[in-house]
Amino acid sequence: TMTLQGLRFGNPNVRETSATSLGFLIQLTDPSCLKPYVALIAGPLIRVMGDRFSESVKEAILKTMGILLDNAGQFCKPFVMQLQTTFIRSLNDSSEKVRIYAAQDLGKLMTMSQRIDQLVTDLLNSFDTVENERKETILVALSNVLSSTHGRVTEPTLILCETKCSELIINSSADQRLIGPLSDVLANSF
């Protein structure tokens, strides 16, 4: 209760510490014991993530969300759409660390989602419009999504993904930092 109160009502330092502490508590708790508390934990994490806080607060919250998905993901199904929206929004954050945690969490979340094709298409479409420093994170998120869905993406979506990534690799103006993530996306789309 104290960590949730700190997360919801504390100053930024207290919120960061509360989110980190909550992550430790989740790791130490048996998943079956977490079931009745998932809504009490996930709700405040999602709400606070929607507020404007420093990068360190957002990192702590996203890291804790990832821990929650790892340890009690099966109980997070009612929050899939809200978590997906939170992670996608975080992919556009100015902080690279926040974007990386969001990309990791999005991949973890997709083990429970049914709307994978739409997300893959949205990520591919957003790649063209995001700033250069965010393109790598979009590709990492796409790779994480594809690797965690284990054949639940339809063939037309996979073909679209392969075509887009192949074009980007062949394109001589492609940023060299993007070649590795593009290759990962292609490997996960077969």
Side-chain angles (χ1 to χ4, degrees):
T1 304
M2 281 190 336
T3 55
L4 290 174
Q5 288 296 99
L7 181 66
R8 290 170 45 203
F9 303 113
N11 65 41
N13 288 335
V14 170
R15 288 177 192 245
E16 178 183 353
T17 303
S18 295
T20 303
S21 300
L22 197 55
F24 288 135
L25 290 172
I26 293 167
Q27 286 176 320
L28 296 172
T29 305
D30 183 77
S32 61
C33 296
L34 280 173
K35 184 178 180 179
Y37 301 101
V38 168
L40 296 172
I41 295 169
L45 287 171
I46 293 167
R47 276 192 298 279
V48 173
M49 195 61 196
D51 296 338
R52 295 178 193 255
F53 286 105
S54 68
E55 148 186 345
S56 60
V57 174
K58 291 178 184 178
E59 284 175 36
I61 291 171
L62 286 169
K63 187 174 183 179
T64 298
M65 287 179 170
I67 293 168
L68 183 64
L69 289 171
D70 286 338
N71 293 326
Q74 68 272 26
F75 308 125
C76 293
K77 282 188 180 184
F79 300 99
V80 167
M81 291 310 296
Q82 294 152 307
L83 288 168
Q84 181 174 322
T85 301
T86 299
F87 299 151
I88 289 171
R89 212 176 277 142
S90 298
L91 288 175
N92 291 311
D93 196 87
S94 60
S95 164
E96 184 178 11
K97 288 181 180 180
V98 169
R99 293 192 309 265
I100 289 169
Y101 279 123
Q104 291 170 350
D105 291 350
L106 193 57
K108 294 173 186 180
L109 183 67
M110 287 303 102
T111 61
M112 294 173 272
S113 180
Q114 300 303 314
R115 302 177 126 195
I116 301 161
D117 287 299
Q118 184 62 48
L119 176 63
V120 169
T121 303
D122 290 347
L123 288 172
L124 283 171
N125 290 338
S126 71
F127 183 83
D128 292 330
T129 59
V130 297
E131 298 170 17
N132 280 339
E133 72 245 10
R134 292 176 173 88
K135 288 183 186 269
E136 184 176 6
T137 311
I138 296 291
L139 291 173
V140 170
L142 185 56
S143 178
N144 291 341
V145 166
L146 291 171
S147 70
S148 67
T149 55
H150 306 295
R152 294 187 297 140
V153 180
T154 63
E155 188 173 343
T157 303
L158 289 173
I159 290 170
L160 174 67
C161 193
E162 292 167 9
T163 303
K164 176 90 169 170
C165 290
S166 296
E167 289 171 3
L168 289 168
I169 287 176
I170 292 170
N171 183 356
S172 61
S173 66
D175 187 341
Q176 293 301 311
R177 292 176 306 133
L178 301 179
I179 300 299
L182 281 167
S183 300
D184 289 342
V185 172
L186 280 172
N188 286 315
S189 62
F190 285 106

